[in-house]
Amino acid sequence: MTAEAAKGTRARTRLGDWEPPSAKRVLDLTLGSALLALASPLLGAGALALAARRPPGGVLTRSPRIGLDGRVFVLRSLHTRRLRLDLLSRLPHVVRGDLSLVGPEPLPPDGGRNRADPAGTPDSPAARHWRQELKPGLTGLAQVRSRSGMPWDEPALLDQHYAEHHGVGLDLAILASAVHVPLRGAVRGLARRGKAHLSDTDHRLSGYSTAEEVGSVSTD
C-alpha cells in the first residue's frame, strides 16, 4: 500500500469513527457561547473589582469535581455570589464540555460520602453508574425546585429523576424556570419598594398639628 493510500484509509477511518454532536451538546455550545459573550463584560468588571479587594485565595475559587465518565476536573468560579457571577463564570466549562447547562449537581470526589443517594450510598455502583453517564450541570432540577418555594425532595432524588427523564425539552423547561424564578423575585422586591406607605397623617389638612389634636383630647 502506498503512503497516499494509507493516508486516505486513516482519514476514512477517522471520519467513520466521528459521531455528530447530540442535541444536548448543540444546545450547550450555542446557548452557552451566547450567554458567555453577553456576560463577558459583567464578568470582567466583577473580576477587576475582586482583584482590587485582593480577596484571600485570589479572584477565582478552584475545586475538583467529578465529570462525565468519572473524570475529575477543576471547577473555577469567581469568588463572589453577587448577581450570580459565580454561576456565570462557569460558562467556559459549558463551552469546553466539562459541564452542561442542565444536569446533576457537580460533586467533589469526596463530597458524595456526606450525601444520601436514592440508589444506596453515593459511592455505590448504582449511584456511580447514572451519575457518570451524564455531565454535571450549571443548573439543574434540584436547584430550580429549591428556589421555587414548592415542596421538593432530596437533591439526589431530583438528580436521579433528571437522569432518567432528561432531554432537550426538559432542559429548556429547567432553564426557563432558572431564569423566571429569580426575575420574579426581583420584580416583586422592586414592587414592594415602590409602594407608597401612607399613614393617617398623610390625609390631614395642611396646617394641622399633632399638638392641636392632643390639646383637644385633653380638654374633653
Side-chain angles (χ1 to χ4, degrees):
M1 181 182 293
T2 64
E4 290 79 6
K7 185 177 180 180
T9 301
R10 288 195 297 270
R12 287 193 296 272
T13 301
R14 287 194 297 269
L15 289 174
D17 293 338
W18 180 83
E19 295 182 0
S22 64
K24 184 177 180 66
R25 178 56 185 157
V26 171
L27 177 65
D28 288 342
L29 193 56
T30 54
L31 186 54
S33 298
L35 290 174
L36 181 59
L38 292 173
S40 291
L42 188 60
L43 292 174
L48 289 175
L50 284 172
R53 296 179 183 178
R54 298 182 180 180
V59 172
L60 295 176
T61 63
R62 297 171 176 84
S63 55
R65 290 291 186 270
I66 301 175
L68 185 66
D69 297 326
R71 182 177 61 86
V72 177
F73 67 98
V74 178
L75 181 66
R76 294 175 174 84
S77 308
L78 275 181
H79 204 170
T80 178
R81 295 195 64 80
R82 293 192 176 186
L83 302 177
R84 305 307 301 274
L85 290 183
D86 60 329
L87 196 64
L88 293 175
S89 66
R90 298 176 186 176
L91 282 169
H93 288 287
V94 175
V95 177
R96 189 161 53 239
D98 298 325
L99 293 176
S100 180
L101 285 173
V102 180
E105 179 186 356
L107 297 180
D110 59 347
R113 298 172 187 167
N114 300 322
R115 295 183 51 170
D117 194 277
T121 65
D123 292 326
S124 67
R128 288 197 298 270
H129 177 70
W130 69 262
R131 282 193 179 278
Q132 293 181 10
E133 286 184 347
L134 286 176
K135 289 180 185 178
L138 193 69
T139 187
L141 188 60
Q143 294 92 319
V144 169
R145 289 289 295 272
S146 67
R147 291 198 305 266
S148 67
M150 297 172 61
W152 56 289
D153 297 320
E154 290 294 329
L157 289 171
L158 293 171
D159 282 344
Q160 185 176 13
H161 176 81
Y162 173 82
E164 294 172 351
H165 302 282
H166 70 91
V168 174
L170 181 57
D171 283 4
L172 291 174
I174 292 173
L175 288 172
S177 297
V179 174
H180 173 70
V181 173
L183 283 180
R184 184 177 59 185
V187 169
R188 286 180 176 176
L190 290 174
R192 291 193 196 100
R193 293 192 192 101
K195 284 183 179 179
H197 300 284
L198 298 178
S199 64
D200 292 337
T201 56
D202 295 319
H203 304 282
R204 292 168 183 165
L205 297 176
S206 58
Y208 183 90
S209 68
T210 307
E212 292 175 355
E213 180 180 359
V214 174
S216 62
V217 171
S218 62
T219 56
D220 288 343

